[in-house]
């Protein structure tokens, strides 16, 4: 706790004075362009990763970067999405998974959830991803299996996101775009889901993706290599 207090003192002394005008504007409201839904993992810091200023990102974090389907589970994330789209008028919603995700590891090994019934219940919203990957990753090593599950979970949560009426309406009008990303902690890389091709592709620094194999094709290649 002392470390946090000292950090705040540094912010108030060194950072705030240099951005006083910005904070004065933000004191009366916010106008973020993007809602960023990501994992609660302490290693994932959206504002740092994207060099974002205060007021640019509307960030929501939970275990496993999950968005429950509409009407199935009343939750803070669904309420936050409604607020971001309807009131803040965000133009983009990003669901971002990450490498070495503890939630995804728990899906692969349910024994890790012993004594945590609430977490186990929450992760049921990722069951579809677990089943899809289980049916398509025979012979993969643990690292590849985890990578595939992390990707498929993002795809599944994008499908859940589309079930929210406010999201469906905004997408239909062309005022909202949704995105699925995977952040690699150790490599500072991002892969993005290309909905038109069903592929995760590398994000280049100019924002244009580099095409790679589709997830299903990759499963097949990895399984053949492991055989």
């Amino acid at each position: 706790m002392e470390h946090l207090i000292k950090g705040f003192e540094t912010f108030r002394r060194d950072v705030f004075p240099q951005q006083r005008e910005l904070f004065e504007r933000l004191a009366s409201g916010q106008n973020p362009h993007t809602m960023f839904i990501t994992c609660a993992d302490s290693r994932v810091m959206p504002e740092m990763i994207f060099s974002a200023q205060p007021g640019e990102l509307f960030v929501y974090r939970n275990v496993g970067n999950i968005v429950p389907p509409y009407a199935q589970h009343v939750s803070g994330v669904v309420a936050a999405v409604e607020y971001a789209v309807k009131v803040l008028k965000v133009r983009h919603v990003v669901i971002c998974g990450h490498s070495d995700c503890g939630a995804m590891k728990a899906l692969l090994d349910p024994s890790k959830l012993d004594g945590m019934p609430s977490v186990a219940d929450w992760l049921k919203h990722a069951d579809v991803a677990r089943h899809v990957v289980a049916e398509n990753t025979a012979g993969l090593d643990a690292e590849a299996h985890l990578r595939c599950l992390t990707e498929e979970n993002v795809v599944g949560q994008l499908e859940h996101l589309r079930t929210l009426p406010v999201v469906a309406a905004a997408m239909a009008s062309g005022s909202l775009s949704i995105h699925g990303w995977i952040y690699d902690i150790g490599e500072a890389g991002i892969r993005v889901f290309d909905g038109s091709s069903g592929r995760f592709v590398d994000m280049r620094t100019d924002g244009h993706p580099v095409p790679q194999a589709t997830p299903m094709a990759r499963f097949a290649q990895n399984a053949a290599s492991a055989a």
Side-chain angles (χ1 to χ4, degrees):
M1 187 58 64
E2 182 179 352
H3 179 72
L4 292 180
I5 294 172
K6 288 182 178 179
F8 174 66
E9 287 296 331
T10 299
F11 165 77
R12 190 167 60 177
R13 182 185 64 246
D14 300 334
V15 178
F16 180 81
Q18 297 179 16
Q19 302 190 58
R20 183 178 295 275
E21 288 188 13
L22 171 61
F23 286 106
E24 287 176 349
R25 290 198 305 272
L26 292 174
S28 59
Q30 60 174 319
N31 184 34
H33 52 72
T34 299
M35 181 177 189
F36 202 89
I37 301 171
T38 192
C39 189
D41 193 295
S42 62
R43 298 167 294 178
V44 181
M45 301 177 65
E47 293 86 351
M48 175 182 285
I49 295 167
F50 300 104
S51 302
Q53 292 295 308
E56 289 189 284
L57 298 180
F58 188 71
V59 179
Y60 192 97
R61 305 169 69 118
N62 64 41
V63 174
N65 41 271
I66 283 172
V67 179
Y70 182 70
Q72 181 175 327
H73 186 87
V74 177
S75 69
V77 61
V78 171
V81 171
E82 287 186 353
Y83 180 78
V85 175
K86 193 71 174 180
V87 178
L88 299 179
K89 307 294 184 183
V90 297
R91 299 182 293 281
H92 302 275
V93 177
V94 175
I95 296 179
C96 186
H98 66 93
S99 60
D100 194 48
C101 181
M104 297 302 100
K105 289 179 178 179
L107 278 178
L108 293 175
D109 181 5
S111 67
K112 295 181 181 295
L113 296 171
D114 289 348
M116 294 184 287
S118 296
V119 177
D121 189 56
W122 177 250
L123 289 179
K124 289 179 181 178
H125 295 299
D127 262 353
V128 171
R130 180 171 59 84
H131 283 291
V132 169
V133 171
E135 292 294 322
N136 291 280
T137 58
L140 288 187
D141 61 32
E143 182 178 352
H145 201 164
L146 178 61
R147 183 179 66 250
C148 292
L149 180 58
T150 301
E151 292 183 351
E152 192 60 37
N153 179 56
V154 168
V155 175
Q157 302 314 317
L158 287 171
E159 293 299 323
H160 292 173
L161 184 62
R162 291 188 181 98
T163 69
L164 275 60
V166 68
V167 171
M171 291 180 66
S173 71
S175 63
L176 181 71
S177 299
I178 63 176
H179 312 269
W181 295 355
I182 305 289
Y183 168 59
D184 188 308
I185 296 171
E187 299 294 331
I190 290 181
R191 285 170 288 140
V192 303
F193 182 67
D194 179 358
S196 62
S197 65
R199 303 178 181 189
F200 274 91
V201 296
D202 288 338
M203 176 186 287
R204 299 197 324 230
T205 55
D206 59 9
H208 295 125
V210 178
Q212 294 182 347
T214 66
M216 290 300 118
R218 186 174 66 252
F219 292 159
Q221 289 173 351
N222 289 338
S225 298

